[in-house]
Amino acid sequence: MLSKIYVLDTNVLLQDPNSIFSFQDNEVVIPAVVLEEVDSKKRYMDEVGRNARQVSKLIDSLRELGSLHEKILLENGGQIRIELNHRSFHELQDIFVEKTNDNRILAVAKNLSMEELQKEDGRPVILVSKDTLVRVKADALGLQAEDFLSDRVVEIDHIYKGFLDLYINSDNLNRFYEKNELLLSEITNHPFYPNQFIVMKDALGGSASAIGIVDKSGKKVKRLVFNQDHVWGIKPRNVQQTMAMELLLRNDIPLITLVGKAGTGKTLLALAAGLFQTEDLGTYKKLLVARPIVPVGKDIGFLPGEKEEKLRPWMQPIYDNLEFLFNTKKPGELDAILAGMGSIEVEALTYIRGRSIPDQFIIIDEAQNLTKHEVKTILTRVGDRSKIVLMGDPEQIDHPYLDEYNNGLTYVVEKFKEQQIAGHVRLVKGERSGLAQLAADLL
């Protein structure tokens, strides 16, 4: 006998089309109204539309195995069926008057639950939804409700920071300064990832300390290569910014992820490093800066003008940082500089699909608003001899189906942390202003 019945909300399928295979050997029930909602999203030209089309194809392929309104056995031992009955609104009509789609899904779960309670061997019915209010409503009706967590890349307490504090004796610290490297096996038995930073401190409380980076083999910690006083007038102001600049300037690490709250310096550091390597060193032919167009608050609708004019409001945070780096003071001065240089391109992510991008320093800002599929699309566009920097704040997400633990940026951080070609740093300290830091912490 199957142990549980899971009733899926539409948002679970639209977030992860393969979610129906995530419930082991239990029974998965999809209310008919969910199929209607999925069908209404199929024409969307975004990630939601793509997932809706994928769900449709997946359920259609299951028809070959049997009748969907009865039960179909899945490979993982579970079962799935489309629920056409149990739609009665009788139990909910006094509580929720309107017959919205959410309430219809709740009605199916409630009626199934009541039916199971009347059986001797009745199974628990659990509603699975990404919508907080649907779970609250379910709780008010006496229904079990859960968030869908299988799409999470990492557990809450284990998000990779990219660095670690390590207390070692002063002899080892002195040896590190003399030889510029240490064998990790001599100072700790803690496992490390390639390109992970170690902040080494005196175990006896002395003031001596050092920052090292784990080599590609993961067996040695070495001194940082970056030794310039500043890059395009930007000097790292704290330990994590020093780590970030090290990764940004290293040619042997083509994938960088930077995570941090607003004001920690992610965009400014990346732009400075990109301009230095594009304009001064000539390592890359072009600096490409892109960000997803996801509005904060109410969307302002269609904008007049050419593509550049339409993009300007969305890309203004990038232009603000460029104005600071170029030290421009007059209106239009930055546009004239960028037009004259020709090697800096500010673009919306909408236009990146289908491109191949070689010999470029690519910065993707606000990457926390990308889904796993969108991040894959971007990374598979990166051509030979290019370097890509993904950055953002997973605590500031404007996408309806993403959270801190299942967004594209966190996905890349976790999937690439063991790879030799990738480096990551979580920036901790805000450097914009005392007010900005306090607001990021308090609000």
Side-chain angles (χ1 to χ4, degrees), residues 345-371:
E345 185 180 352
V346 180
E347 189 68 278
L349 271 179
T350 312
Y351 304 106
I352 208 166
R353 186 188 290 274
R355 293 180 61 177
S356 180
I357 311 173
D359 296 306
Q360 295 188 27
F361 191 99
I362 307 159
I363 298 173
I364 309 294
D365 198 12
E366 301 292 342
Q368 78 277 5
N369 283 319
L370 299 173
T371 64

Side-chain angles (χ1 to χ4, degrees), residues 259-266 392-396 426-430 432 436-437 439-442:
V259 166
K261 292 179 181 177
T264 48
K266 306 179 296 293
D393 178 8
E395 294 179 14
Q396 288 192 350
R426 174 179 282 275
L427 296 160
V428 179
K429 189 180 178 188
R432 186 173 285 165
Q437 174 67 31
D441 292 339
L442 292 180

Side-chain angles (χ1 to χ4, degrees), residues 2-8 23 26-31 81 83 86 105-119 121-129 138-139 141-146:
L2 297 174
S3 54
K4 294 174 185 174
I5 297 174
Y6 287 99
V7 179
L8 303 193
F23 297 92
N26 298 296
E27 183 178 343
V28 173
V29 172
I30 300 176
R81 66 185 168 97
E83 183 52 65
H86 297 91
I105 295 167
L106 284 165
V108 169
K110 179 66 176 175
N111 293 332
L112 273 173
S113 177
M114 291 174 63
E115 186 178 278
E116 290 296 317
L117 284 172
Q118 291 171 5
K119 297 178 183 176
D121 54 352
R123 297 166 286 168
V125 175
I126 301 164
L127 177 64
V128 184
S129 177
D139 195 58
L141 291 168
L143 277 169
Q144 272 187 266
E146 293 179 1

